[in-house]
């Protein structure tokens, strides 16, 4: 390379970096103070993995993230309940209504939800209740709605080829394709992951516990692992950010009121 070419390359690098520095900062704060202090917020084209043992509070965590995304385009693939049950949980979080009172049909609780249905007007939210969503389902939603945040709750329930013997390879391929779609459509994708419950439920999960889902942990931009030692109505959720490509690693706790699906 000649001296003139070297000079052109140096100038091009400086100009391109200057343009990059002047770009719009398009991340969306999560609204969770401790989380934003580590991650800044949601960045387009990144995949988050939220893992935890069964019953830890992964869905509650996601519902609370949604509750702070007023006016943002959000899509949720709910693989375990109905769309309306998911919206019930969100409304319990927004209104402070006990979830059990809604489940058993307590009239005062139902009236409280009905009187506050206008709160949903503040959200641009689409909940798709499908037990085994496919990669095509995810791409169709990204293409149609251009969500700023898309949640799959949870990843292991996504469709993989029938009679698959090598589930590790199938999950790895699925994770890589989701990563490609996330970059293509410039959203933040959050995948919850159900970790195999250990004998000692008081221990906290690590990245190693994601091993059964292929290279899900390796592919992710952010990995947050959740744990709590109590199934009582009130307690603390321990959030451990064990991977973050841009930002910081760290741990913090959030007080939880599990009977109303709310973290405070």
């Amino acid at each position: 390379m000649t001296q003139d070419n070297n000079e052109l390359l140096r100038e091009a690098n400086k100009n391109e970096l200057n343009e990059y520095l002047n770009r719009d900062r398009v991340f969306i704060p999560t609204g969770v103070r401790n989380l934003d202090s580590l991650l800044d917020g949601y960045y387009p084209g990144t995949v988050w993995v939220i893992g935890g043992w069964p019953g830890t509070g992964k869905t509650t965590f996601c519902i609370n993230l949604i509750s702070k995304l007023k006016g943002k385009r959000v899509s949720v693939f709910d693989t375990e309940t109905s769309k309306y049950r998911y919206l019930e949980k969100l409304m319990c979080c927004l209104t402070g209504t006990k979830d059990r009172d809604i489940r058993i049909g307590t009239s005062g609780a139902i009236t409280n939800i009905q009187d506050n249905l206008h709160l949903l007007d503040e959200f641009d939210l689409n909940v798709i209740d499908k037990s085994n969503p496919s990669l095509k389902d995810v791409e169709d939603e990204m293409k149609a709605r251009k969500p700023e945040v898309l949640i799959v709750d949870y990843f292991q329930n996504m469709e993989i080829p029938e009679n698959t013997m090598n589930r590790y390879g199938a999950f790895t391929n699925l994770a890589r394709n989701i990563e490609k779609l996330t970059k293509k459509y410039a959203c933040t994708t959050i995948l919850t992951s159900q970790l195999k419950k250990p004998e000692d439920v008081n221990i906290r999960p690590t990245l190693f516990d994601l091993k059964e889902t292929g290279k899900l942990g390796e592919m992710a931009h952010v990995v947050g692992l959740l744990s709590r030692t109590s199934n009582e109505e009130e307690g603390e959720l321990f959030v451990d950010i064990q991977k973050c490509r841009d930002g910081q690693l760290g741990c913090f706790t959030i007080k939880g009121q599990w009977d109303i699906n709310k973290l405070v």
Side-chain angles (χ1 to χ4, degrees):
M1 186 176 287
T2 66
Q3 184 174 353
D4 287 344
N5 286 336
N6 283 332
E7 182 64 29
L8 288 173
L9 179 59
R10 285 193 290 269
E11 288 300 314
N13 285 339
K14 288 188 291 185
N15 290 335
E16 289 169 7
L17 177 57
N18 189 52
E19 288 182 12
Y20 182 75
L21 291 170
N22 288 328
R23 74 192 187 283
D24 291 335
R25 306 290 167 163
V26 292
F27 74 91
I28 303 170
T30 68
V32 179
R33 179 176 55 82
N34 287 324
L35 198 56
D36 285 334
S37 69
L38 296 174
L39 311 179
D40 299 333
Y42 309 107
Y43 277 85
T46 62
V47 177
W48 293 21
V49 173
I50 303 297
W53 318 130
T56 299
K58 298 180 294 296
T59 297
T60 296
F61 185 75
C62 290
I63 284 174
N64 279 262
L65 292 179
I66 292 169
S67 73
K68 299 179 184 298
L69 285 170
K70 295 176 182 179
K72 305 298 183 182
R73 287 188 309 281
V74 180
S75 295
V76 178
F77 283 90
D78 173 23
T79 68
E80 293 195 299
T81 62
S82 71
K83 169 181 179 178
Y84 304 107
R85 179 73 183 113
Y86 200 92
L87 291 174
E88 274 186 350
K89 291 182 178 182
L90 175 60
M91 285 298 297
C92 286
C93 175
L94 295 173
T95 63
T97 305
K98 288 189 176 183
D99 189 36
R100 183 176 185 277
D101 288 344
I102 293 296
R103 294 199 309 272
I104 65 176
T106 302
S107 59
I110 293 174
T111 299
N112 188 40
I113 295 293
Q114 291 174 327
D115 289 346
N116 286 283
L117 286 177
H118 63 275
L119 295 177
L120 291 178
D121 294 339
E122 301 180 60
F123 295 89
D124 188 353
L125 173 64
N126 187 32
V127 178
I128 305 106
D129 50 358
K130 192 168 185 178
S131 58
N132 295 108
S134 66
L135 185 69
K136 184 178 184 302
D137 292 328
V138 172
E139 181 170 18
D140 287 347
E141 181 68 7
M142 287 182 177
K143 185 176 180 180
R145 291 197 74 235
K146 303 286 191 300
E148 293 162 279
V149 177
L150 181 141
I151 298 171
V152 178
D153 188 13
Y154 57 93
F155 174 74
Q156 286 94 329
N157 279 343
M158 287 194 66
E159 180 183 88
I160 58 175
E162 292 184 8
N163 302 318
T164 297
M165 299 299 293
N166 184 1
R167 289 176 65 82
Y168 180 93
F171 281 136
T172 294
N173 186 56
L174 181 59
R176 291 298 184 194
N177 282 319
I178 289 174
E179 181 186 30
K180 290 177 183 177
L181 291 178
T182 298
K183 290 179 178 178
K184 178 179 179 180
Y185 292 102
C187 70
T188 299
T189 300
I190 300 175
L191 307 173
T192 68
S193 178
Q194 187 90 290
L195 305 181
K196 186 176 180 180
K197 197 169 186 176
E199 292 183 7
D200 182 1
V201 295
N202 291 319
I203 66 173
R204 286 172 175 163
T206 68
L207 289 174
F208 182 75
D209 292 301
L210 287 169
K211 65 184 183 302
E212 293 186 353
T213 47
K215 295 187 180 295
L216 184 62
E218 294 179 27
M219 171 274 300
H221 191 90
V222 171
V223 176
L225 300 177
L226 310 181
S227 58
R228 61 187 178 108
T229 57
S230 172
N231 289 319
E232 297 176 358
E233 290 185 352
E234 294 189 9
E236 287 186 332
L237 179 70
F238 185 81
V239 182
D240 186 0
I241 304 300
Q242 292 204 4
K243 179 180 179 182
C244 183
R245 290 181 183 167
D246 294 301
Q248 304 177 55
L249 306 182
C251 310
F252 59 91
T253 58
I254 307 177
K255 290 183 179 180
Q257 294 176 271
W258 309 110
D259 55 339
I260 61 173
N261 303 305
K262 190 173 182 62
L263 302 175
V264 292

